[in-house]
Amino acid sequence: CTLDSEVALRVGGDFFFDPQPGDSPVNLVLIAGGVGINPLFSILLHIADLHGYQEGKGNRHKLGTAKLYYSAKTTSELLFKKNILGLMKAFPGKITCCFHVTQQRSQICKELQPHVTGK
């Protein structure tokens, strides 16, 4: 987004991401905290499947980017972090993530360091 961009937010409830062939591409910003990552991780997996299918078979889905902002107290509480890093590696520039930790006292592992902000 840029300054003055219009965005839509949705908090709680039933939500999903199911783009149809021919839909205009959208860029997603997903925000999660703690165990709230569960439904958003499913959305990321679906996006990865569509990107993989698109690259392998040339389907008609037009996909934008997906950026995940995910916060927890410590890196040990970041669920699916290795899976998320794998998705970022498999689809560079298409799936990105910024982890935020609020109470980390120990050193953050090198693999996560480039993607972690916070204390």
Side-chain angles (χ1 to χ4, degrees), residues 1 17 25-30 44 47 51 62-68 91-96:
C1 296
F17 179 65
V26 295
N27 295 321
L28 295 179
V29 176
L30 306 170
L44 278 181
I47 291 167
H51 275 303
K62 297 175 189 155
L63 300 171
T65 60
K67 175 126 186 156
L68 172 66
F91 302 101
K94 296 177 183 177
I95 297 175
T96 58

Side-chain angles (χ1 to χ4, degrees), residues 7-118:
V7 298
L9 295 178
R10 186 155 188 200
V11 178
D14 296 328
F15 61 96
F16 56 91
F17 179 65
D18 189 22
Q20 299 301 307
D23 286 353
S24 296
V26 295
N27 295 321
L28 295 179
V29 176
L30 306 170
I31 303 169
V35 297
I37 187 66
N38 285 305
L40 301 184
F41 182 63
S42 294
I43 290 172
L44 278 181
L45 290 176
H46 182 58
I47 291 167
D49 285 344
L50 291 174
H51 275 303
Y53 183 72
Q54 182 178 39
E55 291 173 358
K57 310 263 190 211
N59 76 3
R60 299 178 321 192
H61 284 90
K62 297 175 189 155
L63 300 171
T65 60
K67 175 126 186 156
L68 172 66
Y69 292 93
Y70 180 24
S71 179
K73 290 179 184 177
T74 65
T75 56
S76 64
E77 293 183 12
L78 292 167
L79 305 177
F80 310 119
K81 63 184 167 270
K82 290 190 187 267
N83 303 84
I84 294 167
L85 290 173
L87 292 175
M88 291 169 48
K89 187 175 183 180
F91 302 101
K94 296 177 183 177
I95 297 175
T96 58
C97 180
C98 181
F99 299 108
H100 182 77
V101 293
T102 59
Q103 298 178 14
Q104 182 90 14
R105 300 278 185 250
S106 60
Q107 179 137 355
I108 295 170
C109 72
K110 287 185 181 190
E111 184 179 37
L112 284 177
Q113 281 179 1
H115 310 288
V116 174
T117 63

